[in-house]
Amino acid sequence: MITASGITKTYGSTRAVDDLSFEVQAGVVTGFLGPNGSGKSTTMRMVMGLDRPDSGVVTIDGKRFGDLRWPLREVGALLEAKALHPGRSAYNHLLALAQTNSIPKARVDQVLELVGLEAVAKRKVGKFSLGMSQRLGIASALLGDPGVLLFDEPINGLDPEGILWVRNLLKGLAGEGRTIFVSSHLMSEMALTATDLVVIGRGQLIADTTVEDFIASNTEATVLVRSPGADALGAALVEAGGRVAAGPDGGLLVTGLDATRIGDVAHAQGIALHELSPQQASLEEVFMDMTSDMVDYHGHSPLEVSS
Amino acid sequence: MTTATAPAHIAPFALDHGRAGLRNQVRSEWTKLRSVRSTWICLVIIVAAGIGLSALVTNIEAGRWAHLGFADRAQFDPVRMSQTGEFLSQFVVGVLGAMIVTSEYATGSIRTTLATTSRRTTVLSAKLLVIGTVIFLVSEVTAFASFFVGRAVLLAHGGKALPAGSSIVDQVRSATIPVVSITDNGALRAVFLCGVYLLLLTLIACGLGFILRHTAGAISAFVGILLVLPLIVNILPSSFSASFEKFLPSNLGLAMILVTSRKTDFAGILLTPWAAAGLLALYTVAVVVLAGWLLVRRDA
C-alpha cells in the first residue's frame, strides 16, 4: 500500500504538488491520471524518496522510503525508461542493480526472460528502442520481487503486442496481491487496465475512486433516441422534464430522463421508437471534461489561433 | 517477444535483517565501472602515457646531458622526468572521476541508483572507494614502472649513480649522466606520492561531479583549478601571489614529486612533499564533505 498524506512540493514559484492525499491499495491496479505537467512524476519521485516533500508524508506499506532496509526488495519503480548508461549491456545494468540489494544473479536472467530481452541481454542499451528500454525498466522494477511497484508511463513506445503484454503483466502482479501504481495520460488504456484511479490536475487531487464510480458519478446519464416523430417526441420529452439535444444522424440525446421514462412518454404520445440506448461515457471523455480547466498546456486548432 | 504474465518469485528474504549497505554499493559500483569501455580506455591512457612519456622525455634529456649548462644540470631530476606522464594523467583521472557521477546525472540513472538505498551517502562512499582504489593501484604501478623505465633509459645512455652523499655541485660537475636509484634519498617517496596525487585528484573530481551534477561543468571546474587558477594567481602582484602560490593544487602536486634533497630551483618556494600531500588531502576532504552534504539535502 502507498499512502500519501498532504504532500506538497514547490519548485521555485511553481507548486507542482499541492496538499495531495491518496491511498493506493494492494491487490488491484491503480491508475494515476493527470494531464502533462500535473505533478504525476513529481509525486512518484516523492514516493521513491528522490524528491523531498516540502510538507506531508508518503509511506510504502507504512514506512517512509528512508526507513526501508532493502529498498529494491520492497518497492520497484520504472520512472524513466531511457535513464540508462548507453554503453552498458542490459545484463550488466541489471546485475549492478541486483548487487545493491543482495539479489541473486540468477534473478537477473529470470527478469530478462520475463520481459523478453534474454536474446539481447549482452547488447549495449544505447542501441535499444524505446520499447526495449521500457521492457528493461520493467525488468529493473521487478528485480527485487517487491510488493509495491510504480510505473511511470510504462507503455510509451511499446507496440500493440507490448501494450497487451504490459496490461496482462500489471493485472497479474496485482492478482498476486501486490500494490501497482501506474501513471498514464492514456485514459483509454487505464480504463482497460486499472480498477482504482487517482486523478490529479495542477498537483491537486481530483478523484481517488474506482474507474467505475469515476465514470458513473461524473457523467449525467444520457440516452440516445431515434424516432420517425423526433420533433413531436422532443417537445413531449422537454415537457416531461428532460433536456434534449441534437444527436448524430437526426437522433436525440436526452438527459434528465432515463430510458424507461422516455419509453413511457413515447408510448403515451403514440410515437414509434427506432432506438432507445443509454450512452456510456468513456473514461477519456470524463477525464477531459474534468480537467479541461486544469490543463497547463493547451493545444489550439489553427482556426482558433488565427481568429 | 514474450507472453509471460507474472514473474516467478525469488527466495524469501528477511527484510528486517541487515540492510543494503556499503558492501552492496561497492559491488554495484565495480560492476558499473568495469562494464563501460571508457573506463578501460582511460586506464590504458594512464599507463601508456606514464611509461611512454617517461621513456621519451628521459631519452631526450639524457641525449642533451653533455651539452647542458650548469643551471640545467642542477635541475636535471631523473625522478621528475620519469613522472612526466602525470601531467597528462591528472586530466584523465579528472575526467574519469567526474564522469562516473555526471554520466548518471546526464542520463537520469542517478535516480535508479539512489532508489537502491535509503542512505545516499553510501552511494558517494562506494563511488569514491571503487574509483579511488582502481586509480590508486593503476597510478602506483604506472609511477613505479615509469621510474624504472626512465632509469633504464639513463643507464642505456651510460649514466652512473653519483657516489653516496653527493651534493648538487657534484651532479653539475659529473661527466656522466646521474642515475637515481629507488632507494636514494626521497626517490621512493616522490614516486609513491605521484600515485597519491592522482588518487586525491580523482576523489576531488568525483566530489565535483556530485556538487555540479553536470559533465561539462565538473570537468571545467577541475581543469580550471589545475590550469586556470595558476594563471590568475600569476597575474596578481607577485608580493601578493607569492604567499599563496604554493597552496595551489597544481603546485602541491609538483611539491609531492620533488626530491627536495637535490635542491632544485623549486626548493623553498614549495611546501615539503608530505605537507603538500596533507594539504591536498584536506582539500579533498572539504570537497567530499560538501558533495555528501549536498547529495543528502538536494532532490535527485
Side-chain angles (χ1 to χ4, degrees):
Chain A
M1 192 167 88
I2 301 170
T3 312
S5 321
I7 52 171
T8 298
K9 183 72 191 178
T10 308
Y11 299 105
S13 61
T14 315
R15 180 152 286 193
V17 175
D18 190 1
D19 194 24
L20 187 60
S21 299
F22 59 83
E23 273 191 4
V24 182
Q25 302 296 337
V28 291
V29 176
T30 302
F32 192 21
L33 282 177
N36 289 334
S38 58
K40 296 192 298 290
S41 295
T42 302
T43 303
M44 286 194 156
R45 282 201 303 274
M46 285 194 280
V47 175
M48 295 304 294
L50 294 168
D51 285 15
R52 190 177 308 179
D54 300 331
S55 60
V57 182
V58 193
T59 59
I60 295 159
D61 288 336
K63 287 173 280 188
R64 291 174 198 233
F65 184 88
D67 296 327
L68 300 179
R69 286 159 167 270
W70 301 95
L72 283 192
R73 291 172 176 273
E74 299 198 51
V75 57
L78 161 63
L79 297 183
E80 299 148 275
K82 278 290 178 190
L84 302 162
H85 191 297
R88 194 172 286 128
S89 71
Y91 178 85
N92 280 325
H93 171 75
L94 291 173
L95 176 63
L97 272 181
Q99 287 167 327
T100 63
N101 277 250
S102 299
I103 295 163
K105 249 185 195 177
R107 177 66 178 172
V108 172
D109 298 312
Q110 210 177 39
V111 292
L112 278 166
E113 196 187 332
L114 173 77
V115 302
L117 290 178
E118 68 271 40
V120 291
K122 303 282 177 189
R123 211 187 289 173
K124 290 179 178 178
V125 298
K127 306 233 188 283
F128 276 21
S129 67
L130 180 55
M132 288 160 84
S133 301
Q134 291 282 17
R135 285 171 183 265
L136 182 56
I138 291 169
S140 314
L142 294 173
L143 197 58
D145 196 16
V148 177
L149 286 151
L150 287 80
F151 301 95
D152 199 357
E153 305 276 358
I155 60 168
N156 272 6
L158 291 179
D159 53 18
E161 192 260 344
I163 292 173
L164 181 65
W165 170 72
V166 169
R167 195 184 297 156
N168 290 332
L169 177 74
L170 296 182
K171 285 178 178 170
L173 291 165
E176 293 175 340
R178 297 176 212 250
T179 304
I180 311 293
F181 196 35
V182 197
S183 85
S184 181
H185 62 276
L186 298 172
M187 278 61 70
S188 50
E189 185 51 38
M190 284 300 97
L192 290 169
T193 313
T195 308
D196 285 2
L197 272 188
V198 173
V199 186
I200 64 170
R202 285 189 189 159
Q204 290 175 314
L205 187 73
I206 295 177
D208 180 2
T209 177
T210 63
V211 173
E212 224 167 80
D213 285 352
F214 184 65
I215 294 172
S217 63
N218 289 294
T219 48
E220 212 175 351
T222 305
V223 183
L224 177 64
V225 183
R226 288 185 203 283
S227 166
D231 290 346
L233 179 61
L237 289 172
V238 170
E239 203 171 304
R243 288 185 303 283
V244 178
D249 305 326
L252 301 173
L253 283 172
V254 183
T255 49
L257 296 173
D258 63 12
T260 315
R261 183 92 180 86
I262 294 168
D264 290 346
V265 170
H267 179 71
Q269 299 287 324
I271 299 170
L273 287 179
H274 290 176
E275 183 177 353
L276 182 63
S277 54
Q279 300 296 293
Q280 179 82 48
S282 72
L283 180 55
E284 185 144 10
E285 287 164 349
V286 176
F287 177 78
M288 296 305 271
D289 221 36
M290 291 201 72
T291 59
S292 57
D293 60 331
M294 292 210 165
V295 175
D296 285 328
Y297 312 103
H298 278 287
H300 293 279
S301 68
L303 195 66
E304 249 182 299
V305 174
S306 63
S307 61
Chain B
M1 282 189 246
T2 179
T3 50
T5 53
H9 291 275
I10 51 178
F13 189 83
L15 287 173
D16 53 354
H17 188 262
R19 63 157 60 241
L22 185 60
R23 190 190 293 253
N24 291 102
Q25 289 295 336
V26 164
R27 281 204 197 105
S28 175
E29 286 301 331
W30 169 239
T31 300
K32 285 196 238 174
L33 187 67
R34 69 172 172 74
S35 62
V36 291
R37 196 191 295 159
S38 54
T39 303
W40 300 103
I41 294 173
C42 286
L43 295 182
V44 166
I45 291 174
I46 292 170
V47 176
I51 296 172
L53 286 174
S54 170
L56 183 70
V57 170
T58 308
N59 195 43
I60 292 170
E61 293 294 317
R64 295 172 59 210
W65 175 258
H67 317 290
L68 289 181
F70 286 169
D72 287 336
R73 283 190 170 196
Q75 287 172 38
F76 190 88
D77 182 347
V79 176
R80 200 147 65 87
M81 287 180 330
S82 77
Q83 303 304 322
T84 309
E86 185 198 54
F87 182 78
L88 184 71
S89 298
Q90 64 183 347
F91 299 108
V92 179
V93 301
V95 169
L96 192 56
M99 283 287 284
I100 61 162
V101 180
T102 57
S103 71
E104 293 203 24
Y105 278 102
T107 59
S109 59
I110 188 71
R111 283 186 276 277
T112 310
T113 301
L114 293 178
T116 62
T117 173
S118 48
R119 290 184 182 172
R120 289 187 181 179
T121 47
T122 58
V123 173
L124 171 70
S125 309
K127 281 192 189 288
L128 293 173
L129 263 172
V130 170
I131 193 72
T133 305
V134 169
I135 292 296
F136 184 64
L137 291 177
V138 171
S139 297
E140 287 297 353
V141 167
T142 303
F144 279 93
S146 303
F147 174 83
F148 288 110
V149 165
R151 182 179 145 86
V153 170
L154 291 182
L155 289 173
H157 276 86
K160 282 196 177 65
L162 295 174
S166 297
S167 69
I168 201 79
V169 178
D170 298 321
Q171 172 167 316
V172 170
R173 286 183 180 154
S174 171
T176 56
I177 304 166
V179 178
V180 173
S181 159
I182 195 72
T183 53
D184 283 3
N185 198 8
L188 180 63
R189 180 196 60 215
V191 175
F192 173 74
L193 286 184
C194 194
V196 173
Y197 177 64
L198 292 182
L199 163 68
L200 294 175
L201 287 189
T202 308
L203 303 183
I204 288 175
C206 192
L208 288 173
F210 275 109
I211 292 167
L212 296 168
R213 306 194 285 189
H214 197 274
T215 303
I219 293 176
S220 300
F222 183 82
V223 172
I225 288 168
L226 290 181
L227 287 184
V228 183
L229 206 55
L231 294 179
I232 294 171
V233 170
N234 242 331
I235 296 168
L236 301 174
S238 61
S239 59
F240 191 63
S241 65
S243 55
F244 56 82
E245 240 175 0
K246 58 180 130 184
F247 304 127
L248 294 175
S250 48
N251 286 339
L252 294 177
L254 201 54
M256 286 164 73
I257 62 162
L258 216 58
V259 182
T260 44
S261 65
R262 300 179 67 83
K263 296 273 181 215
T264 63
D265 54 339
F266 295 114
I269 298 171
L270 297 173
L271 296 179
T272 63
W274 286 116
L279 184 58
L280 191 59
L282 271 181
Y283 290 171
T284 308
V285 169
V287 170
V288 167
V289 166
L290 177 62
W293 187 74
L294 288 172
L295 178 65
V296 170
R297 278 180 56 92
R298 291 198 288 210
D299 289 336

